[in-house]
Amino acid sequence: YRSMCAFVEGDLKRSVELAEEGYRLGSMVSESGARHAYLVQLTGNMRLMGERERARSLVYEAAARYPSIAGWRCAVGLSEVDVGHFDAARDVFLQLMSDGLPALLRDAFVLSVLCPLVELCAWVGDAASAEKLYPALLPYAAHCGTIGYGIGTYGPVARYLGMLAGKCGRYELAVEHLNASMIACQRMKAPTYVALTALTHAVVILPVPSPSALKQRASLELARARRIANTHGFGMIASICDVVAPLATDTRARPQPS
């Protein structure tokens, strides 16, 4: 739990230290359970730091050790996205969707499946898949996605609803969800998820035709994501900002969001 809190607060080094401490102590009771918690926490940190290959290796270890946990199958797909293997990621996504949503929704920790599945859909899915996922996730709009009993979190579900709305071409609705996510992140004092929400806002809006006001706001959010990433060492966010930056409008003359 303490490792998860440090992650939310943007202190990734401390989060890793606490994950290692938790693994050492937890192994005295249950090596399998302790390893699972450790892999959840370490992969989240490595991915956010931009340590893509290390994160991918850990994800594959977890998927092999815990094959019945659908969330790890989603993580495999996301780890392939992170290293640019989009065809492999799409194959994982299609296999998960072929299992049928009813089966996935029976998971005891349903948001630990839906949140990464939605992110995978945002990267390699299509609008039809997003339309199926949206109503399944909508009842949890006011919640945060958790992993297990507090060993990890995906942050506000509203961010994932914003991804789906954007995938469906409903950009104003996407912004509504992303605004709700940002309010929740700021209330939680969670710079990690402020940065991720700002980045999601930019990634959803900037690549597509949209009104200039939406473009300008998305450009401001991209600048916010980059500032926080630089402050906290969020290498993954910084690298995506670099890719999206050419699509941004000039924000130098406008006030920056806090």
Side-chain angles (χ1 to χ4, degrees), residues 38-173:
Y38 177 69
L39 289 169
V40 166
Q41 293 167 347
L42 196 60
T43 55
N45 278 287
M46 292 300 104
R47 190 171 183 235
L48 190 56
M49 288 177 183
E51 298 286 343
R52 299 178 181 87
E53 289 295 350
R54 187 177 180 195
R56 182 169 177 262
S57 175
L58 292 166
V59 164
Y60 270 89
E61 176 194 336
R65 286 182 63 128
Y66 312 102
S68 64
I69 299 179
W72 282 120
R73 294 168 61 199
C74 299
V76 165
L78 289 171
S79 75
E80 296 295 352
V81 167
D82 290 344
V83 297
H85 298 167
F86 292 99
D87 288 341
R90 188 173 294 105
D91 288 344
V92 173
F93 177 72
L94 293 175
Q95 181 59 55
L96 284 159
M97 292 299 289
S98 72
D99 292 347
L101 274 180
L104 296 174
L105 293 174
R106 286 196 294 271
D107 193 284
F109 300 101
V110 64
L111 291 178
S112 69
V113 178
L114 283 179
C115 290
L117 182 63
V118 165
E119 185 176 355
L120 193 54
C121 180
W123 283 108
V124 298
D126 56 16
S129 297
E131 291 283 5
K132 293 177 182 177
L133 289 168
Y134 186 87
L137 189 62
L138 187 59
Y140 305 100
H143 295 263
C144 284
T146 57
I147 304 172
Y149 297 99
I151 60 175
T153 180
Y154 289 104
V157 169
R159 181 167 75 95
Y160 296 89
L161 288 166
M163 294 180 193
L164 291 174
K167 196 72 177 180
C168 296
R170 298 155 66 186
Y171 299 113
E172 292 186 356
L173 178 61

Side-chain angles (χ1 to χ4, degrees), residues 22-27 30-39 66:
Y23 179 47
R24 177 175 57 81
L25 295 174
S27 294
S30 168
E31 196 282 333
S32 179
R35 187 68 181 175
H36 180 253
Y38 177 69
L39 289 169
Y66 312 102

Side-chain angles (χ1 to χ4, degrees), residues 199 202-203 206 219 222-223 226 238-250:
L199 179 67
V203 169
L206 289 177
S219 297
L222 182 67
R226 185 186 292 280
S239 65
I240 297 174
C241 285
D242 289 341
V243 173
V244 180
L247 303 174
T249 59
D250 187 356

Side-chain angles (χ1 to χ4, degrees), residues 223-239:
R224 169 158 46 186
R226 185 186 292 280
R227 287 198 308 277
I228 298 173
N230 290 342
T231 298
H232 292 275
F234 298 159
M236 179 191 76
I237 292 177
S239 65

